[in-house]
Amino acid sequence: MFKKLFAGILAITLFQFVYADQFINLHSPDGNLQLGLNNRDNGDLVYRLTYKGKTVIAPSGLGFKLRVPDVSLIKFTLISTDSTLLDETWKPVWGEQSSIRNNFKQLVLNLKEQSGSGITIKIIFRVFNDGLGFRYEFPKQDKLNHFIIADELTQFALSGDHKAFWIPGDYDSNEYGYYTTKLSEIDATRGEKVTEIAVRTLYDKNAVQTPLMMKTSDGLYINIHEAALINYPAMNLVLDKSSFTFNAHLVPDAVGNKAYLQAPAVTPWRTIIVSDKATDILASKMILNLNEPSKITDVSWIKPQKFVGVWWEMHVGKSSWDCSGGQVGSQQATKVTHGANTANVKKYIDFASKNGINGILVEGWNTGWEDWFGNWKEDVFDFVTPYPDFNIKELTAYAKAKGVKIIMHHETSGSVTNYERWMDTAYRLMRKYGYDAVKTGYVGRIIPRGEHHDGQWMVRHFERVAKKTADYHIMVDMHEPVRPTGLHRTYPNFLACEAARGNEFNAWSMGNMPEHETILPFTRLMGGPMDYTPGIFKIKMSDYNSSKQEQVHTTLAKQLALYVTMYSPLQMAADLPENYEAKMDAFQFIKDVAVDWDDTKIIDAEPGDYIIIARKAKEKANWFMGAITDENARSFTTELNFLDAGKKYIATIYRDAENADWKNNPEKYVIEKFIADAATKLKLNLRPGGGTAVSLIPATEAELKKIKQYGN
Ligand code: NOJ
Ligand code: CA
């Protein structure tokens, strides 16, 4: 599949590169992106990147500082190069589209460190139409076997004081709201005020996390992240404000080292996605393309799905995780009932079964919750002992009879040594009872003590969980993991994860600002699907407890639109059954919406402002559209030209009422039905913090006679 590129000419160019400080240039297949490589005056190797002639990355350093052996890898002699081209199409097990094109030009630099260590490394560059990916490789060699990375010296020098959508650099949490500022105004100490995050480890005023989204004053959208994070710590970025240069900052381990490797080894890919259209950023599949194909051959048991859960009722303080009814998490003095009791779980099973929802998550089913948080204690949960009022046998049989499945919950409280000891036993219990999906959680400081959520040790743990659950044919949804980097291509049983500030923050903190969901797809979701838990219908927490001020910062209609704009093959219908039963007309959208797709059209988008996406359900003719806005009301006219020409559809529009807004009137919505087709121009009126969800389902003859054409 790989084709050799311009082998002859290259030798000459490279000769110049080494001895006369000339550039090596490599263009993207469409010619818009250009990668340049050369040496600085001091001999350091640098790369640069332009898009349609505009600077994306100014000359930026590459290399490492090793601790063992004590060597800097920054000045190199070029031994040889290799260039190839790939153009292939592959089919994901599930995803936003049924096939993905992987098309890039690749250049490999074979380099020898210059100061006499004799160490050789390769740097592999892939230039796609949508961006650049590059990684380091340490080949097997006599001069390097075991080694310890003190620092990765990769830089991302930007061309100016861009607008940035950032969260503070942190070794343990990504659960921040986004700040939108100029690069020069980045101030990670703002994270110190975010006390509702369980474990935070801020470390530098100028540090941010990836995926980092930026917009330049001349209209370029730039996203920096990484792909295929395996056996290596996550990369944060620390800004040198004097030159707008980000320096890679790897999350350290308990003794201050970054990564322990043995040659042969590779690093994750460093990714820079770029376009002059915001919609292209959301459409990019580069990060997936840089990950390895599925390691799971039989994927028949992997099923994208919707689920409900004995979950939100604990977050809103109506019931508890622990059996004694104490309020874990919300520190409420009054005792409430234990949520995961057999009768209550049956209620959720009934609701799921009645509404065609496959899964029921049950949190608080197992012993340990009395003691789970804040003590840095090692043996809290055993993941196999149910509370006495949770009858696992009876519930398994009940769910089976109703054609649905309980989703297991493994909160580790950050005690990962303990979880690793229990994993096999816990997954065997799941197999015994026919559970095929687990939600894991890592709330708390990590054990082994001193390790961080995003360090190499934990990155290895998360991969082990993905692998081991796959061995047991179990799908997994991880909460509080390192943020994703496209590994769900390699482990498609890794359906989703959290790794950002989810909807739950709206239940018990100042919450997520209305713009939050217009930023997440440009940041966190670039690496993979998020278990955001949309679908909250009861917006104000004062409905549960009159003294509460907290609320979801969207309208109800926007909660529906999130099923389309926040891509995930695992989508929760997060609210309580009774709240859905009170509004079954609106719940119909959640019932209908797909979770796996043949095609996706990013219709319009601007980070921090709005997103409009349409998706076609896998192997069906149905389309679903979601449009969301930030705190501002916005109107759009959207052409439905993605629909099959000549086909008529019933468009069911779930929109904000004229007087709706997230703060004062969030639950008012209107549902309308029209006939629509590829020529329809749909008017969208999104209220402040609002949205519109639309289902487009082929119309029957009878419906065509009964229902009005849109716009007439
Ligand atoms: C935090 C998770 O994000 C949330 O979904 C879960 O309910 C709690 N931890 C308890 O495990
Ligand atoms: Ca969380």
Side-chain angles (χ1 to χ4, degrees), residues 62 84 152 165 170 187 254 366 382 483 558 628-629 689 695:
L62 294 161
T84 44
E152 180 181 319
F165 302 85
D170 191 307
D187 177 6
N366 59 329
D382 67 12
R483 76 283 184 283
K558 180 170 170 181
I628 60 166
T629 178
S695 65

Side-chain angles (χ1 to χ4, degrees), residues 502-503 506 512 514-521 525 530 532-536 539 552-568 570-572 589-590 593-594 597 611 613 615 625-629 689-694:
N503 221 359
N506 282 313
N512 306 339
E515 65 175 10
H516 189 57
E517 296 94 349
T518 69
I519 299 174
L520 278 172
L525 274 77
M530 177 171 177
Y532 187 69
T533 71
I536 301 304
I539 301 288
V552 174
H553 293 69
T554 75
T555 63
L556 187 150
K558 180 170 170 181
Q559 287 291 310
L560 295 179
L562 295 178
Y563 286 89
V564 182
T565 60
M566 295 280 238
Y567 168 67
S568 178
L570 183 71
Q571 288 281 28
M572 189 169 200
F589 183 80
I590 301 179
V593 71
W597 310 96
I611 294 178
I613 297 179
R615 304 187 197 269
M625 214 176 104
I628 60 166
T629 178
T692 299
V694 185

Side-chain angles (χ1 to χ4, degrees), residues 175 443 479-480 498-500 502 504-505 508:
E175 298 190 350
V443 178
H479 276 231
E480 299 84 32
E498 187 189 40
E504 65 197 41
F505 276 79
W508 37 255

Side-chain angles (χ1 to χ4, degrees), residues 94 301-308 356-361 403-408 435-438 474-477 493 495-496 531 563 567-573 590 593-596:
W94 42 261
W301 51 276
I302 299 172
K303 301 240 177 335
Q305 60 186 283
K306 284 172 258 183
F307 68 109
V308 294
I357 289 180
N358 184 79
I360 303 104
L361 167 73
V404 294
K405 285 196 169 168
I406 299 180
I407 297 178
M408 177 49 80
Y435 287 46
D436 61 3
V438 61
I474 290 170
M475 294 169 275
V476 62
D477 167 21
N493 66 315
L495 290 186
D531 181 21
Y563 286 89
Y567 168 67
S568 178
L570 183 71
Q571 288 281 28
M572 189 169 200
I590 301 179
V593 71
V595 284
D596 198 11

